[in-house]
Amino acid sequence: MQVTWTEIEQDLSAEAYPILRVMFKGEGGECVIVDMADVDALAGDEEAAIERAKAVLVRTATFDTAVNDYDAQSNGNFDQVTKTQVTDRDGGIYVFEYRDGDGSRRVPPSMMPSLEAAREEALRCAVELLADFDLNTGPIPDWLIRIYDGHGNLLAVVDVHQADAARQTADRKADSGDGS
């Protein structure tokens, strides 16, 4: 879907749990809506709300949803996903692998403008993944997200320490009121 318009609204109809809604609208009437709790943390910061909604969409793509019996019985590497193009002058195809407990999950290939853009996206998602790990109990995972090219070559790894440093930097910026 080519996103042509993004809208953000607050839904106060649920009295106990207000919702921040981000709507990604595309050509041809397509629309993806992401409803998020914790409205106060995102209130007034449209860019943060959009980035969090994007991260939710990326993480949602890793859920165990089977389209058919073959998908339900497979190992998650759906061979019907084909790549028609590995790179072009505007960027490349990147595959993200996310830590999922003791295992991992790969999401379908994504077109990104550059490896640096892919790293920034991986780091942003890794910060979100930190919330799923209790770093005080058990061993610290050696990686959270791996980035591969369209041929399966490992290009970059985001680990817990990188994600934690990025989270701390974002927290400092938020505390100082510097949103940049």
Side-chain angles (χ1 to χ4, degrees):
M1 175 174 101
Q2 178 68 37
V3 176
T4 59
W5 186 257
T6 304
E7 289 183 27
I8 300 171
E9 65 182 32
Q10 191 169 354
D11 181 358
L12 300 174
S13 61
E15 294 174 20
Y17 303 101
I19 296 170
L20 187 64
R21 178 168 290 141
V22 178
M23 294 173 282
F24 298 101
K25 297 182 177 187
E27 295 175 353
E30 299 159 323
C31 182
V32 175
I33 298 172
V34 178
D35 286 345
M36 299 175 289
D38 198 13
V39 173
D40 295 335
L42 298 171
D45 190 349
E46 288 187 1
E47 186 174 325
I50 291 170
E51 290 306 315
R52 183 168 169 204
K54 287 179 184 178
V56 167
L57 288 174
V58 169
R59 291 183 64 198
T60 301
T62 66
F63 280 131
D64 284 328
T65 56
V67 176
N68 54 43
D69 288 338
Y70 172 79
D71 290 354
Q73 296 171 12
S74 79
N75 64 2
N77 295 327
F78 305 124
D79 58 9
Q80 71 269 24
V81 174
T82 59
K83 298 177 218 127
T84 58
Q85 183 176 24
V86 174
T87 60
D88 69 6
R89 63 185 169 91
D90 296 325
I93 299 289
Y94 299 95
V95 178
F96 294 84
E97 181 178 26
Y98 292 84
R99 168 80 64 186
D100 184 15
D102 292 332
S104 65
R105 295 186 186 279
R106 287 190 179 198
V107 296
S110 301
M111 175 70 88
M112 305 290 288
S114 67
L115 177 57
E116 185 58 33
R119 281 185 186 142
E120 289 174 13
E121 179 65 20
L123 189 57
R124 192 172 21 256
C125 293
V127 169
E128 293 283 327
L129 286 175
L130 281 178
D132 295 339
F133 289 98
D134 184 359
L135 300 177
N136 296 320
T137 62
I140 295 176
D142 54 346
W143 63 275
L144 292 175
I145 299 176
R146 295 177 180 156
I147 305 170
Y148 296 87
D149 66 14
H151 298 290
N153 300 311
L154 180 63
L155 301 174
V157 176
V158 176
D159 65 23
V160 171
H161 302 293
Q162 293 167 320
D164 191 45
R167 182 190 53 77
Q168 290 177 17
T169 299
D171 289 349
R172 281 193 298 275
K173 284 182 180 180
D175 289 345
S176 69
D178 181 16
S180 60

